[in-house]
Amino acid sequence: MSHCVNGHNPGSDGQAREYLREDLQEFLGGEVLLYKLDDLTRVNPVTLETVLRCLQARYMADTFYTNAGCTLVALNPFKPVPQLYSPELMREYHAAPQPQKLKPHVFTVGEQTYRNVKSLIEPVNQSIVVSGESGAGKTWTSRCLMKFYAVVAASPASWESHKIAERIEQRILNSNPVMEAFGNACTLRNNNSSRFGKFIQLQLNRAQQMTGAAVQTYLLEKTRVACQASSERNFHIFYQICKGASEDERLQWHLPEGAAFSWLPNPERSLEEDCFEVTREAMLHLGIDTPTQNNIFKVLAGLLHLGNIQFAASEDEAQPCQPMDDAKYSVRTAASLLGLPEDVLLEMVQIRTIRAGRQQQVFRKPCPRAECDTRRDCLAKLIYARLFDWLVSVINSSICADTDSWTTFIGLLDVYGFESFPDNSLEQLCINYANEKLQQHFVAHYLRAQQEEYAVEGLEWSFVNYQDNQPCLDLIEGSPISICSLINEECRLNRPSSAAQLQTRIETALAGSPCLGHNKLSREPSFIVVHYAGPVRYHTAGLVEKNKDPIPPELTRLLQQSQDPLLMGLFPTNPKEKTQEEPPGQSRAPVLTVVSRFKASLEQLLQVLHSTTPHYIRCIKPNSQGQAQTFLQEEVLSQLEACGLVETIHISAAGFPIRVSHRNFVERYKLLRRLHPRTSSGPDSPYPAKGLPERCPHSEEAMLEPLIQDILHTLPVLTQAAAITGDSAEAMPAPMHCGRTKVFMTDSMLELLECGRARVLEQCARCIQGGWRRHWHREQERQRRAVMLIQAAIRSWLTRKHIQRLHAAATVIKRAWQKWRIRMACLAAKELDGVEEKHFSQAPCSLSTSPLQTRLLEAIIRLWPLGLVLANTAMGVGSFQRKLVVWACLQLPRGSPSSYTVQTAQDQAGVTSIRALPQGSIKFHCRKSPLRYADICPEPSPYSITGFNQILLERHRLIHVTSSAFTGLG
């Protein structure tokens, strides 16, 4: 790797940081567009330098996620960013119509996998591979993905199902702190480094609801229980029980305050992971009750006391090594906490049992001090490994669903990152071997598969040179000779292993491998493997012993004698699994070594990945110190080169990541033919079909070809529409190629097609809506008219009934009025005085005796009751109206207005009767009138001269019916 980046030679840290600040200011000031790019494939040119500068600028602006084609690049912020992982943001990405148009995020990958499962496109099962160096943030990324799926994949209908789903989700999330407490530790590069690999299978039912999960672990680093490197720590759980136990628990577990343990280095360091209550609560949710938890912690405390047992070298080889004076308390305490007899525990550690000969004779041989320490460590590793496997089985039994209740799954692979320490042994070899296999899977799936598919489909493609790690894998696992095969062979040989001899065998047998390096200046036996991420030196000392992973059978029998309930379950008396005790003779079975078991489990994992649709998240560590806002270019550059990110960007930018079969392409986008009239493909076509060979005219591809051409002819219309809407990115002509069986396109072309399809569907929806609205309005109008007709009929019927009632009432009133009028006439006739009427000429007033007057007087005499009524009407009635009524009632003939004059009898002084002029005095009859209200005047008069008979006339008031009045009436 070159030591010059952007023309800068690294000097001191201060100079490097100053240069980074100046470079960032220049970058932000002069290349703002490059800083705003969310996808590294749009960087031009795509080089390590430009990619590095873009990532640095985005990291300094607190933008930690960036797309790199088909891969998501995640930079570890090394600081809490709670708003970046809130449930509200999860729902926003889940509800977005196109999550890829939002800012790059780990939730984008989660939502894409979830929608792929819902679409049921083969392969339906999805997998997410989270890779990166130790400390890059793989565990945090996996944790965020699990929280995301727990939020978006939970929408049951019933309340009971909702409670069950909540319990399952909570158990899945609670498995994280338990697994991290027992499987993670603080290393030189990471405070929360996973010391095991895990594949979490999130199980979904047919409704895409999470019904359960399953956890599969790989290669727990159990040697960390008894051996920790300098400045590193043991597993988190040991520090949690020492710092979080109560006083009573300390007394029960014999963990006094400030006690020192050999297997508990750096206890003064306080980490966020040292939270005992969180672990206990999570275990409780997983179904591990409090007594069982206390039993687990008591056994772990016994392992800490077991580590304090130190032996003194024996001067006589025939005598076993005795523990030191200050270790006798530890022996007694460890035996008590583990439920073992003290003397039996010490004897099994001090003395080795050997079976030899055909008679299987037993020999007891005292162990030297080093072997005593080894047997003690082996006992602790055996207990911890069984306890860890038991926890995994408990978690699976708590969260795993029945096979009938789930149909698909989303897998999260969180494995240890690439490791390179000053002292690397078998653990680092297996870890880096797993990373090499995953890198090959990535290369095969995205880089090599793309190029080969282009060639098969007949597309012109300039092949991109990428870093192939197959030579390195051949060196580690190749056949017939490899590093793994040589180590396994050393384990099968019945001879003591020599580190120098193993180094010589590896260098001699694999001398022709380009990935095997030599370090002649090293004093310790070792060999160098050039991995894709860089060279690593592995020490051969202890390599064979770790690969054998020997478990003395007497130690297993010792643990079977334990009275502790937990250990009795972990080590049953009649175990189903056979121990590694090898029978003598030539029929000895091959030893199942650590490398063999790890290789088998890794192959099984890769088979699962190959059967799913993989998604990749590359975690990058900006600096090795874990400091926020610190971006060290050289460290990031080495990771970019190691993970093949630049090659990924090259092939993603120049290639076509979207591939759709001809049939699926036509079925999805045949709607676009509505945008353009059907034409035939020709040389003038703006998007001619490229790579379409001649086919049989009756083949399926030949039948689909005209339809594909019709769809391609709509692309100019879509491009113009995108230009009108102002989307310049989509308006750019995006390439599309038709292969023999598939259509290849870029992301921009896919977005263009999807926008056109959405536009056509919108037009169809509007047409359907318009037709439905017309139909609805017609129905509404028809119903309105029908209602109006019904209402009109009802109103007509009600009106007819009302008129009938009014007519009946009028008839009744008319008859009553007629009866009343006749009765009134009779009553009025009885009330008149009995004086015989005389001729009108004898009256005091002189009137004309013309024939007309005679007839008028006769009419007055004949219609005298009406005259009474007219004379006693309300005073408010006008004189003209009174005259009209008089004229109409008297039926006067028409004539000259001056021909006659009518004078009422009221012109005379006194009270005069209309019917007859009185002779002399007038008699008043003082009996009560039978008429109703006869004694009540309608309106008081200033001349209040009234009588009982209501026949009294107003005094001094003359009513002249002049000829002019009669003329007007005429």
Side-chain angles (χ1 to χ4, degrees):
M1 181 191 306
S2 175
H3 295 283
C4 180
V5 181
N6 292 342
H8 169 66
N9 294 321
S12 62
D13 292 342
Q15 293 177 352
R17 293 179 182 176
E18 183 65 26
Y19 168 77
L20 289 179
R21 283 195 295 269
E22 293 177 359
D23 185 63
L24 179 58
Q25 292 297 330
E26 179 184 357
F27 170 72
L28 294 177
E31 300 181 7
V32 180
L33 294 178
L34 182 63
Y35 161 71
K36 292 183 178 180
L37 293 178
D38 291 334
D39 198 329
L40 295 179
T41 58
R42 299 183 181 181
V43 177
N44 189 20
V46 183
T47 60
L48 276 175
E49 181 180 353
T50 55
V51 169
L52 189 65
R53 293 173 64 191
C54 182
L55 289 177
Q56 180 181 1
R58 293 175 65 82
Y59 182 75
M60 293 302 181
D62 286 347
T63 305
F64 307 111
Y65 292 102
T66 308
N67 290 324
C70 53
T71 307
L72 179 68
V73 179
L75 296 171
N76 193 338
F78 289 124
K79 64 178 181 181
V81 193
Q83 69 275 8
L84 198 59
Y85 307 99
S86 62
E88 293 77 13
L89 192 62
M90 297 180 187
R91 297 186 183 95
E92 179 182 353
Y93 276 84
H94 179 58
Q98 293 180 328
Q100 63 273 13
K101 288 193 174 183
L102 300 178
K103 292 294 182 182
H105 203 284
V106 65
F107 297 155
T108 307
V109 180
E111 181 62 23
Q112 182 180 359
T113 57
Y114 186 68
R115 295 191 181 188
N116 288 351
V117 171
K118 295 180 67 176
S119 65
L120 300 178
I121 298 177
E122 292 293 339
V124 179
N125 297 326
Q126 308 289 311
S127 61
I128 302 177
V129 181
V130 184
S131 61
E133 289 191 4
S134 179
K138 299 185 301 299
T139 301
W140 172 259
T141 301
S142 301
R143 190 187 306 170
C144 292
L145 285 171
M146 292 183 65
K147 290 182 179 179
F148 175 79
Y149 290 124
V151 171
V152 304
S155 56
S158 64
W159 175 253
E160 183 179 357
S161 300
H162 179 69
K163 282 298 188 182
I164 296 175
E166 275 190 349
R167 184 170 68 252
I168 293 173
E169 294 156 15
Q170 190 63 35
R171 288 181 177 180
I172 293 174
L173 295 179
N174 285 327
S175 65
N176 267 335
V178 176
M179 299 289 286
E180 291 180 10
F182 285 86
N184 290 19
C186 176
T187 62
L188 294 175
R189 293 189 173 186
N190 186 8
N191 289 340
N192 191 29
S193 176
S194 298
R195 307 319 301 162
F196 69 103
K198 64 176 178 290
F199 181 73
I200 304 175
Q201 188 183 68
L202 303 178
Q203 301 160 346
L204 306 176
N205 58 12
R206 296 184 183 275
Q208 288 78 47
Q209 300 169 3
M210 192 159 55
T211 60
V215 181
Q216 185 177 0
T217 60
Y218 305 94
L219 192 66
L220 174 69
E221 190 187 14
K222 58 184 179 181
T223 56
R224 182 170 292 270
V225 177
C227 181
Q228 304 84 28
S230 178
S231 301
E232 293 190 356
R233 301 203 319 175
N234 207 326
F235 291 104
H236 293 322
I237 188 63
F238 292 104
Y239 298 89
Q240 291 180 4
I241 62 176
C242 289
K243 295 180 180 181
S246 62
E247 292 297 331
D248 295 338
E249 292 171 342
R250 289 181 182 276
L251 292 176
Q252 295 177 10
W253 305 336
H254 299 277
L255 298 175
E257 192 77 30
F261 298 98
S262 302
W263 290 350
L264 204 67
N266 304 314
E268 68 281 354
R269 294 185 59 182
S270 296
L271 301 178
E272 182 183 356
E273 291 74 21
D274 297 340
C275 188
F276 190 43
E277 292 301 324
V278 173
T279 304
R280 300 199 68 161
E281 184 178 358
M283 295 175 70
L284 195 62
H285 283 290
L286 291 173
I288 305 175
D289 54 13
T290 303
T292 306
Q293 293 182 26
N294 294 333
N295 198 354
I296 293 173
F297 302 140
K298 184 182 70 171
V299 171
L300 294 178
L303 296 184
L304 290 179
H305 286 282
L306 186 64
N308 281 353
I309 301 176
Q310 302 294 330
F311 293 93
S314 176
E315 298 180 356
D316 187 2
E317 294 183 358
Q319 297 297 325
C321 299
Q322 297 298 324
M324 295 183 178
D325 295 338
D326 54 354
K328 293 181 179 179
Y329 170 77
S330 299
V331 174
R332 184 167 57 255
T333 306
S336 174
L337 293 174
L338 296 177
L340 297 172
E342 180 181 351
D343 53 347
V344 177
L345 171 63
L346 192 58
E347 179 183 355
M348 290 298 177
V349 175
Q350 293 173 327
I351 301 175
R352 179 161 56 102
T353 303
I354 303 175
R355 295 178 181 271
R358 294 183 179 180
Q359 303 298 328
Q360 289 292 300
Q361 296 180 357
V362 179
F363 298 93
R364 296 167 59 86
K365 179 182 178 182
C367 300
R369 178 183 176 182
E371 189 174 352
C372 290
D373 295 340
T374 302
R375 292 171 69 88
R376 175 203 60 199
D377 298 346
C378 182
L379 181 63
K381 292 187 292 183
L382 177 61
I383 294 175
Y384 195 83
R386 288 285 183 94
L387 176 61
F388 185 81
D389 293 339
W390 177 81
L391 281 174
V392 173
S393 64
V394 169
I395 292 174
N396 284 330
S397 63
S398 176
I399 64 178
C400 188
D402 297 334
T403 55
D404 298 335
S405 63
W406 62 277
T407 57
T408 57
F409 69 86
I410 299 176
L412 301 180
L413 179 60
D414 176 16
V415 295
Y416 6 64
F418 186 84
E419 292 185 350
S420 177
F421 300 116
D423 187 8
N424 301 288
S425 186
L426 184 67
E427 295 83 7
Q428 283 68 42
L429 179 62
C430 293
I431 289 173
N432 295 336
Y433 167 52
N435 280 272
E436 290 281 357
K437 295 290 287 187
L438 292 176
Q439 176 67 13
Q440 186 191 45
H441 177 265
F442 173 75
V443 169
H445 186 268
Y446 274 106
L447 306 182
R448 188 189 310 166
Q450 283 190 3
Q451 293 183 0
E452 292 178 356
E453 188 172 7
Y454 295 151
V456 171
E457 291 289 334
L459 271 68
E460 297 179 0
W461 176 256
S462 58
F463 288 88
V464 177
N465 294 325
Y466 58 88
Q467 186 177 0
D468 190 2
N469 63 340
Q470 186 59 45
C472 184
L473 287 173
D474 292 339
L475 174 65
I476 298 175
E477 64 168 4
S479 178
I481 300 177
S482 62
I483 294 177
C484 292
S485 65
L486 292 176
I487 297 176
N488 287 335
E489 186 178 350
E490 286 290 329
C491 295
R492 287 192 295 268
L493 296 177
N494 191 11
R495 66 181 184 187
S497 177
S498 171
Q501 187 177 0
L502 178 60
Q503 175 189 358
T504 303
R505 290 195 62 189
I506 291 176
E507 292 178 352
T508 303
L510 303 172
S513 175
C515 294
L516 182 64
H518 306 278
N519 187 5
K520 298 181 179 179
L521 300 179
S522 176
R523 296 181 179 179
E524 299 178 357
S526 62
F527 60 93
I528 297 176
V529 177
V530 181
H531 293 279
Y532 74 95
V536 179
R537 185 166 65 97
Y538 299 98
H539 294 277
T540 57
L543 203 62
V544 176
E545 285 74 16
K546 289 183 178 180
N547 189 35
K548 287 181 179 180
D549 192 21
I551 300 177
E554 55 266 23
L555 295 183
T556 305
R557 289 193 292 268
L558 169 66
L559 294 175
Q560 291 175 356
Q561 301 176 13
S562 174
Q563 300 302 316
D564 183 79
L566 178 63
L567 293 180
M568 291 173 64
L570 297 179
F571 299 93
T573 307
N574 297 319
K576 296 181 182 180
E577 298 180 358
K578 296 181 180 180
T579 62
Q580 290 190 4
E581 181 182 1
E582 299 178 2
Q586 308 241 341
S587 61
R588 186 166 48 193
V591 179
L592 189 61
T593 61
V594 173
V595 171
S596 300
R597 291 197 300 268
F598 182 74
K599 184 179 179 181
S601 60
L602 190 59
E603 291 295 335
Q604 183 181 3
L605 173 64
L606 289 174
Q607 288 180 3
V608 175
L609 294 180
H610 283 301
S611 64
T612 61
T613 301
H615 305 266
Y616 292 91
I617 300 178
R618 297 291 193 183
C619 298
I620 303 296
K621 183 168 57 175
N623 60 84
S624 57
Q625 290 78 26
Q627 298 177 357
Q629 293 293 317
T630 303
F631 191 93
L632 301 182
Q633 290 188 346
E634 288 193 357
E635 293 187 11
V636 176
L637 187 61
S638 63
Q639 298 176 65
L640 294 179
E641 289 179 336
C643 66
L645 187 60
V646 177
E647 286 77 9
T648 304
I649 297 170
H650 268 300
I651 200 166
S652 298
F656 306 96
I658 310 300
R659 304 171 182 83
V660 185
S661 65
H662 288 172
R663 173 176 291 276
N664 293 339
F665 181 80
V666 170
E667 287 180 355
R668 184 167 184 83
Y669 299 114
K670 61 184 178 182
L671 294 174
L672 298 178
R673 295 187 299 166
R674 296 172 177 261
L675 300 176
H676 194 272
R678 185 172 180 179
T679 58
S680 59
S681 178
D684 298 332
S685 177
Y687 291 88
K690 298 181 180 180
L692 280 175
E694 296 183 359
R695 302 184 178 95
C696 177
H698 300 288
S699 63
E700 182 180 4
E701 291 78 8
M703 298 174 62
L704 295 176
E705 181 177 352
L707 301 178
I708 295 176
Q709 293 303 318
D710 290 343
I711 297 174
L712 295 180
H713 277 83
T714 63
L715 295 180
V717 180
L718 299 179
T719 305
Q720 293 175 4
I724 292 174
T725 56
D727 195 344
S728 59
E730 292 186 1
M732 295 296 293
M736 175 186 289
H737 292 268
C738 294
R740 292 186 175 90
T741 60
K742 297 180 181 179
V743 177
F744 294 80
M745 69 186 82
T746 59
D747 291 330
S748 57
M749 174 58 70
L750 180 64
E751 293 181 8
L752 192 65
L753 292 174
E754 288 295 326
C755 290
R757 183 173 180 269
R759 191 178 303 119
V760 173
L761 291 176
E762 183 179 0
Q763 293 176 359
C764 296
R766 289 180 178 177
C767 182
I768 295 174
Q769 288 177 353
W772 165 251
R773 288 193 183 101
R774 286 194 298 270
H775 171 73
W776 184 78
H777 283 300
R778 284 196 299 266
E779 289 294 322
Q780 290 294 110
E781 185 65 21
R782 187 181 62 82
Q783 293 179 6
R784 188 180 65 83
R785 290 180 180 178
V787 170
M788 290 178 63
L789 291 176
I790 295 174
Q791 291 177 350
I794 294 175
R795 284 196 299 269
S796 175
W797 181 79
L798 292 176
T799 304
R800 189 165 57 252
K801 289 294 183 181
H802 183 64
I803 292 175
Q804 291 177 358
R805 288 195 299 271
L806 291 179
H807 185 269
T811 303
V812 172
I813 293 172
K814 180 180 177 181
R815 291 176 180 175
W817 162 250
Q818 291 176 352
K819 293 179 180 180
W820 178 81
R821 187 177 60 179
I822 295 173
R823 185 180 178 187
M824 289 294 295
C826 296
L827 293 176
K830 291 180 180 180
E831 290 181 358
L832 292 178
D833 43 52
V835 181
E836 185 180 357
E837 297 181 353
K838 301 218 174 178
H839 196 269
F840 190 74
S841 60
Q842 298 178 2
C845 57
S846 60
L847 296 173
S848 176
T849 58
S850 63
L852 178 61
Q853 294 177 350
T854 302
R855 289 195 303 270
L856 178 62
L857 291 176
E858 291 176 357
I860 293 174
I861 292 172
R862 186 172 63 251
L863 300 174
W864 66 263
L866 184 59
L868 286 177
V869 175
L870 294 175
N872 290 278
T873 56
M875 295 301 295
V877 180
S879 60
F880 180 71
Q881 295 179 356
R882 186 188 297 264
K883 292 176 182 180
L884 283 176
V885 174
V886 169
W887 178 83
C889 293
L890 297 182
Q891 298 180 359
L892 297 178
R894 296 182 181 180
S896 175
S898 59
S899 61
Y900 59 88
T901 302
V902 180
Q903 249 186 352
T904 61
Q906 294 178 356
D907 294 338
Q908 305 258 340
V911 179
T912 308
S913 172
I914 296 176
R915 186 171 182 180
L917 296 176
Q919 297 291 332
S921 62
I922 301 174
K923 296 181 181 180
F924 291 92
H925 301 275
C926 298
R927 60 180 182 180
K928 186 176 180 180
S929 174
L931 295 176
R932 195 176 184 181
Y933 308 116
D935 56 346
I936 297 174
C937 181
E939 183 176 353
S941 173
Y943 304 98
S944 57
I945 300 176
T946 59
F948 297 100
N949 301 323
Q950 278 296 335
I951 331 171
L952 300 179
L953 303 177
E954 297 178 0
R955 189 177 182 179
H956 305 296
R957 183 177 180 183
L958 301 177
I959 301 177
H960 298 276
V961 183
T962 61
S963 59
S964 59
F966 286 105
T967 304
L969 292 174

